[in-house]
Amino acid sequence: SVALGLSDGRSLDVDISGPDGETPLVVHHGTPGERSQSPPFAAAAAAKGFRYVSYSRPGYGGSSRQPGRAVADCAADTAAILAHLGADRCYTVGASGGGPHALACAALLADRVLACATVAGVGPFGAQDLDFLEGMGRENHEEFGASLAGPAELQAYLEREAASLAEITGEQVAVAFGDLVSAVDVAALTGDFAAFVAASFRQALANGIWGWFDDDLAFTRSWGFDLASINVPVVVWQGGQDRMVPFAHGQWLAAHLPSARAMLLPEEGHLSIAVDKFGEIIGELVASAPKVGP
């Protein structure tokens, strides 16, 4: 991994894998999360000829905190990563809490992003025709309740949660998710993938809760860009068995993004959709991008 120095003095933890010189696939992780690359995902990206580029959002893992950040702020960080790579174009994908961050890049780096995918990504909080919490598991109601109650309540809630994740193992992950996982997600959370998720949680929170804290606050405020302005192709992937980010979020995004193509899959969950479909997700990204060259 690389500790990438930014112009404002912050540093970002970045991981890069796959063939040198190829188009980057910039991946925005979930909440909480960090830059670790799941080997099957990295292999799928390399097989499609991508450089797989992931980074820890500010405050997660080894990335400096950026207090008060908006979702939109990740576009400047992504541009800095592309500059570091010497790449003028990229594809981007965000899963779960990474979804809005991928959309920020599509909105604000429109001349750099060839296509964008949001996978089980949340819609905007407070949107008129989206009941944000409807259908979410109990733990998400608690977490968003704490976010809305104010910074002190959110800090106390996340510190309790982080303590329970500090030593978590793969075998414990499905239980830790509690009411947030449907049967199809419990089935996905086994073996290597469960161990990967557990290790990622531990690393995400190794330097405290602040990445998670700043993500949660950013989701309850304006994202800082206009979804209706996005003209980069966006593929919206969402599962009907998702108790973390319910189906309605994917339906809302598909309806409100002018350039969206909807992949709304009733049988998939929050995690299973990425585990089962990652190769297809990046295949659809390439298929949806504007054709360049003669």
Side-chain angles (χ1 to χ4, degrees):
S1 74
V2 181
L4 178 62
L6 302 173
S7 57
D8 62 3
R10 287 183 299 119
S11 146
L12 277 186
D13 246 4
V14 183
D15 258 8
I16 303 153
S17 68
D20 273 356
E22 296 293 346
T23 306
L25 173 68
V26 179
V27 178
H28 301 271
H29 62 71
T31 301
E34 45 77 65
R35 63 176 166 74
S36 291
Q37 300 186 357
S38 151
F41 290 8
K48 292 269 197 294
F50 283 120
R51 296 188 82 180
Y52 188 80
V53 180
S54 55
Y55 73 102
S56 301
R57 274 195 297 283
Y60 285 118
S63 292
S64 318
R65 190 183 175 199
Q66 186 181 21
R69 61 181 162 85
V71 172
D73 291 330
C74 76
D77 286 354
T78 300
I81 292 169
L82 293 177
H84 169 74
L85 293 169
D88 52 352
R89 307 300 292 269
C90 71
Y91 292 88
T92 190
V93 57
S96 192
H101 294 90
L103 291 171
C105 294
L108 302 170
L109 302 175
D111 53 337
R112 318 282 299 275
V113 174
L114 291 160
C116 168
T118 164
V119 184
V122 283
F125 191 82
Q128 223 168 346
D129 39 358
L130 175 63
D131 185 338
F132 192 88
L133 291 169
E134 175 69 31
M136 280 189 185
R138 180 174 48 81
E139 292 83 350
N140 270 16
H141 283 263
E142 292 170 4
E143 186 170 330
F144 278 100
S147 293
L148 296 168
E153 287 82 355
L154 180 60
Q155 182 178 345
Y157 175 82
L158 293 179
E159 280 172 350
R160 283 196 304 276
E161 291 297 301
S164 72
L165 296 176
E167 314 260 307
I168 195 164
T169 66
E171 291 73 28
Q172 297 166 333
V173 164
V175 171
F177 275 125
D179 194 38
L180 295 173
V181 282
S182 57
V184 63
D185 279 330
V186 172
L189 275 169
T190 54
D192 289 347
F193 180 65
F196 167 77
V197 170
S200 184
F201 280 161
R202 295 193 305 264
Q203 288 164 34
L205 304 170
N207 290 316
I209 61 158
W210 297 109
W212 196 357
F213 179 92
D214 294 330
D215 264 3
D216 277 356
L217 290 182
F219 294 139
T220 61
R221 297 193 287 242
S222 164
W223 289 358
F225 59 94
D226 179 17
L227 283 165
S229 74
I230 294 176
N231 52 26
V232 165
V234 179
V235 190
V236 177
W237 292 81
Q238 182 66 42
Q241 309 299 310
D242 191 332
R243 296 183 52 74
M244 290 196 217
V245 179
F247 205 50
H249 287 249
Q251 293 170 308
W252 190 96
L253 287 168
H256 289 80
L257 289 161
S259 57
R261 180 167 138 61
M263 300 294 279
L264 304 176
L265 308 177
E267 71 285 0
E268 292 289 356
H270 187 75
L271 300 159
S272 73
I273 192 167
V275 174
D276 294 347
K277 303 291 181 188
F278 194 72
E280 285 175 58
I281 289 165
I282 50 185
E284 287 293 333
L285 261 186
V286 177
S288 65
K291 298 298 167 265
V292 289

